[in-house]
Amino acid sequence: MKEDIIRTAADMFLTFGFKSVTMDEIANKMGISKKTIYANFSTKTKLVQATTIYILKSIEQGIENIKARENNPIVELYEIKKFVMNHLKDEKSSPQYQLNKYYPKVYQEVQENHSEMMHCSLADNLKKGIDDGLYSVLHTRRIY
């Protein structure tokens, strides 16, 4: 039940925003009582935290699956971007903005995890592209 709640809440949060979706709406969509949700998550903040972890893990797994195909690094970057945009639904209600505004601690955790994941993925892609001769190393001089 807990996983079903997380999946449903994640879908709704990404579609409508973290602040906009109520526990009543999640319960109604699932056909369960709000009490059942609170039996698994004592607060909405705890549900938001669990859903963001779920979303990040899903994105991370998707990126790993794309990298495992061992495509050309340029194609890989394009596929990763397309996957992330589809996974996050090109949201119109800006769940990221709402997460930052109403759940700043969760937002900070997401940003740290996201930055680390993207840094590693990009570093791997650059190394592969340089090794394959698709990217060249340019030396630049900073002008102060």
Side-chain angles (χ1 to χ4, degrees), residues 30-100:
M30 294 184 70
I32 61 174
S33 71
K34 187 165 66 169
K35 185 178 178 181
T36 302
I37 295 175
Y38 280 114
N40 288 279
F41 302 96
S42 59
T43 65
K44 184 177 177 185
T45 301
K46 291 190 186 291
L47 177 58
V48 166
Q49 193 168 29
T51 57
T52 57
I53 290 168
Y54 166 79
I55 292 165
L56 284 173
K57 285 183 179 178
S58 296
I59 291 171
E60 191 172 331
Q61 183 61 51
I63 290 171
E64 289 303 317
N65 290 343
I66 291 167
K67 290 168 69 174
R69 295 179 200 155
E70 297 187 12
N71 287 326
N72 165 319
I74 296 169
V75 171
E76 182 179 278
L77 281 177
Y78 175 77
E79 291 296 320
I80 288 171
K81 179 183 177 192
K82 188 169 76 171
F83 169 79
V84 171
M85 296 303 288
N86 286 335
H87 201 76
L88 294 179
K89 300 183 179 190
D90 267 337
E91 72 278 349
K92 295 175 187 157
S93 59
S94 188
Q96 189 174 13
Y97 170 79
Q98 288 187 16
L99 189 64
N100 185 25

Side-chain angles (χ1 to χ4, degrees), residues 14 34 64 68 78 85 124 135-136 140:
L14 288 174
K34 187 165 66 169
E64 289 303 317
Y78 175 77
M85 296 303 288
D124 291 346
Y135 305 146
S136 63
T140 59

